[in-house]
Amino acid sequence: MRVGAHVSIAGGVDNAVGNELDVGGNCGQIFTHSPQVWQDPNIGDDEAEEFRSMTSESLDGPWVIHTSYLVNLCTPKDGLREKSLDSMQKEVDAAAKLDIPYVNVHLGAHTGAGVQGGLENAVSVLDEIDIPDGVTILIESDAGSGTKLGGDFEHLGYVLEESEQDLDICLDTAHAFAAGYDLSTPEGVAETFEQLDEEVGLEHLKCVHLNDSKHECGTNKDEHAHIGEGLIGEDGMRAFINHDAIVENDVPLVLETPTENGKSFEWNIERVRELRNGAN
């Protein structure tokens, strides 16, 4: 099973490999810079080479780059659109430099453009990106608060269908739960995968952000909890982790769980392995 966590690149991107190994992961996710600001990735040739070498030697992979939180593909504002496009281009170029196959991005918020207008804006930005060979952009499912898009699987399906790019998706379990897809029971998990297959196609599911939720299903509130200890709960998490769509396709599970109550990534990764093996 490929399972890991979002880890820090402090001190150099090559440090992410050791950080991942420290928490027991064999795949993972990084930011190339602070996600709270507009900033270009600053990755030297030597650290990139070390990152690639250490990854090849020590991890199963894959790595995923998560884009800046400021990126908004759905925006009707020209200035923000151009900044988002520029940021996305630099992220996919960084991914190519690091031999990272995936760049993960939220669609963003339409801020008054309407759902259809926002989705069309997102497609137009994505179609302008010069994506290097070996890199795929993943559109992440969203919790759906305010005018944010991506909470409905239909939004993801539309973008993948309409874009000229070969895109795939990342499903965030806490986001999907917050958006109204009930993952708390085996029946709910099965129904959610059926809906995802119908609206998007399970062949496009290339990564999962595996997080439990501190809030009820359908609240659109995005706050992550430890695996099995939130409102998705142990039964839901076990059913999700062991679902054929995950197991048979060896979909990588990347955790963004909190560090609190004496539990961090290491505890959560071990819990995922226990639930895959059927332990209580």
Side-chain angles (χ1 to χ4, degrees):
M1 178 171 58
R2 293 186 290 174
V3 59
H6 184 118
V7 295
S8 172
I9 67 164
V13 70
D14 49 313
N15 288 336
V17 180
N19 292 338
E20 193 65 63
L21 292 171
D22 286 346
V23 297
N26 55 22
C27 64
Q29 180 174 267
I30 59 171
F31 293 121
T32 61
H33 57 81
S34 170
Q36 308 287 357
V37 297
W38 293 113
Q39 184 177 335
D40 295 344
N42 182 21
I43 301 169
D45 292 342
D46 289 344
E47 63 179 296
E49 181 178 359
E50 184 70 8
F51 175 89
R52 295 192 302 267
S53 175
M54 292 176 66
T55 294
S56 177
E57 291 173 2
S58 304
L59 299 176
D60 295 330
W63 283 105
V64 180
I65 289 176
H66 195 301
T67 58
S68 168
Y69 293 141
L70 301 181
V71 169
N72 187 348
L73 304 182
C74 296
T75 182
K77 300 176 182 177
D78 290 341
L80 181 53
R81 181 189 190 280
E82 290 307 310
K83 285 184 177 181
S84 298
L85 175 59
D86 179 67
S87 180
M88 287 295 299
Q89 186 62 59
K90 289 182 169 64
E91 297 287 22
V92 296
D93 290 343
K97 183 173 186 175
L98 295 169
D99 283 346
I100 291 179
Y102 299 125
V103 173
N104 181 81
V105 65
H106 295 265
L107 288 176
H110 68 71
T111 61
V115 172
Q116 185 61 32
L119 293 174
E120 290 174 359
N121 290 341
V123 170
S124 72
V125 175
L126 290 162
D127 284 352
E128 286 195 38
I129 302 170
D130 182 11
I131 304 176
D133 290 342
V135 177
T136 300
I137 292 175
L138 304 181
I139 309 300
E140 181 179 346
S141 65
D142 202 273
S145 62
T147 65
K148 290 181 180 179
L149 301 182
D152 190 324
F153 291 163
E154 186 178 354
H155 299 167
L156 307 179
Y158 178 90
V159 172
L160 266 61
E161 178 68 25
E162 296 298 321
S163 176
E164 297 172 359
Q165 308 280 19
D166 290 327
L167 306 171
D168 288 309
I169 68 162
C170 172
L171 177 68
D172 186 305
T173 52
H175 292 175
F177 189 70
Y181 296 95
D182 189 356
L183 295 169
S184 65
T185 66
E187 295 78 14
V189 168
E191 182 177 346
T192 297
F193 274 114
E194 288 174 6
Q195 291 178 275
L196 185 63
D197 193 26
E198 181 179 337
E199 297 290 352
V200 182
L202 292 178
E203 69 275 12
H204 290 293
L205 179 60
K206 300 301 183 183
C207 182
V208 165
H209 286 169
L210 192 70
N211 303 298
D212 211 323
S213 174
K214 291 186 178 180
H215 300 282
E216 296 281 357
C217 181
T219 59
N220 302 120
K221 294 182 179 180
D222 176 21
E223 191 174 4
H224 299 174
H226 294 303
I227 299 300
E229 297 198 350
L231 292 170
I232 294 176
E234 187 175 289
D235 289 347
M237 278 292 166
R238 181 187 290 106
F240 186 95
I241 293 164
N242 289 286
H243 193 278
D244 287 347
I246 300 299
V247 177
E248 293 181 1
N249 297 315
D250 194 20
V251 178
L253 308 173
V254 177
L255 279 66
E256 300 168 324
T257 46
T259 298
E260 59 187 15
N261 302 326
K263 299 169 183 173
S264 58
F265 285 140
E266 187 173 9
W267 183 92
N268 281 279
I269 288 173
E270 181 59 30
R271 189 68 181 122
V272 171
R273 291 196 170 107
E274 290 172 354
L275 291 173
R276 168 64 65 86
N277 295 329
N280 293 316

